[in-house]
Amino acid sequence: MKKFFLMLIFLFSSVLLNAQLKEYVLNSKDPYVYLRAKPSVKAKIIKRLKVDEEDENKFDLYLKNVEGDWYYFEVSYGLMDAPKYGYIHKSQVKLHPDSYVVNSKKGYVYVNSEPKESAEGFIKLENGSYVTKQSEEGDWCMVQYDNFDIGDAPWGYIKKKDLKKAKE
């Protein structure tokens, strides 16, 4: 029984630690983009998202799934509000301009707690993992590496040389 419990903990941790952060931003000439219950323009509108709100950091769009020309998103308003989930047509969004992909010669990187070699590396990200750059400090980038606000903080540092600009 103890082995079974440990195996469950390991599997759950693996799922969380391998989560991808693929953050998007609204990209529409219309003043609003609609979050819909199903992947159709006729589907019920769950939430009306104001296009300029995002520049003020009022919400984040995290891609969860793709169904044809529709993207299924988690719309996060921060820790205090429950996220909303729904579909937005791909023509209304674009990949966040500060999205990067881990691209290390080792095949992985550790996200450090501080921008220095001797800092504790608290999570391992494999090549191909998406992160969103928040700032730069010397040879380091402060990144958001997932969208789970449990356990370790979703922010940390990765060397610039181990990141490459993400493409749509």
Side-chain angles (χ1 to χ4, degrees), residues 32 46 63 80 85 87 95 102 111 113 125 149 158 162-163:
Y32 295 97
I46 297 170
L63 182 67
M80 302 312 284
Y85 295 88
Y87 294 89
L95 194 60
V102 173
V111 179
S113 57
L125 295 178
D149 292 311
I158 298 176
D162 293 326
L163 298 171

Side-chain angles (χ1 to χ4, degrees), residues 16 145 148-154:
L16 287 179
Y145 60 85
F148 295 99
D149 292 311
I150 60 174
D152 293 322

Side-chain angles (χ1 to χ4, degrees), residues 14-149:
S14 295
V15 168
L16 287 179
L17 295 181
N18 290 321
Q20 293 285 312
L21 172 75
K22 201 163 184 184
E23 189 172 354
Y24 279 72
V25 293
L26 299 178
N27 184 37
S28 177
K29 292 180 182 175
D30 297 327
Y32 295 97
V33 169
Y34 299 103
L35 186 69
R36 297 183 179 273
K38 294 182 180 178
S40 167
V41 293
K42 295 181 180 181
K44 176 184 173 189
I45 295 170
I46 297 170
K47 182 84 175 157
R48 188 171 75 162
L49 304 172
K50 192 170 182 185
V51 172
D52 69 351
E53 265 190 294
E54 170 185 286
D55 294 329
E56 299 168 19
N57 295 316
K58 301 245 172 134
F59 61 85
D60 295 309
L61 295 172
Y62 300 117
L63 182 67
K64 296 297 187 181
N65 196 17
V66 177
E67 291 184 33
D69 289 341
W70 290 84
Y71 292 172
Y72 184 71
F73 285 104
E74 172 187 313
V75 181
S76 175
Y77 291 89
L79 294 175
M80 302 312 284
D81 296 320
K84 303 271 189 222
Y85 295 88
Y87 294 89
I88 299 174
H89 192 271
K90 72 178 185 179
S91 66
Q92 301 289 296
V93 294
K94 66 181 179 181
L95 194 60
H96 192 289
D98 289 323
S99 290
Y100 285 79
V101 177
V102 173
N103 185 39
S104 172
K105 290 180 182 176
K106 296 183 289 187
Y108 63 90
V109 296
Y110 281 99
V111 179
N112 287 4
S113 57
E114 297 178 65
K116 57 186 180 184
E117 292 287 343
S118 62
E120 176 187 1
F122 53 87
I123 189 166
K124 181 179 177 180
L125 295 178
E126 303 290 334
N127 278 359
S129 297
Y130 283 85
V131 298
T132 303
K133 181 177 79 171
Q134 304 300 313
S135 64
E136 293 184 18
E137 293 184 37
D139 293 336
W140 296 83
C141 291
M142 182 183 194
V143 299
Q144 183 178 7
Y145 60 85
D146 66 25
N147 62 339
F148 295 99
D149 292 311

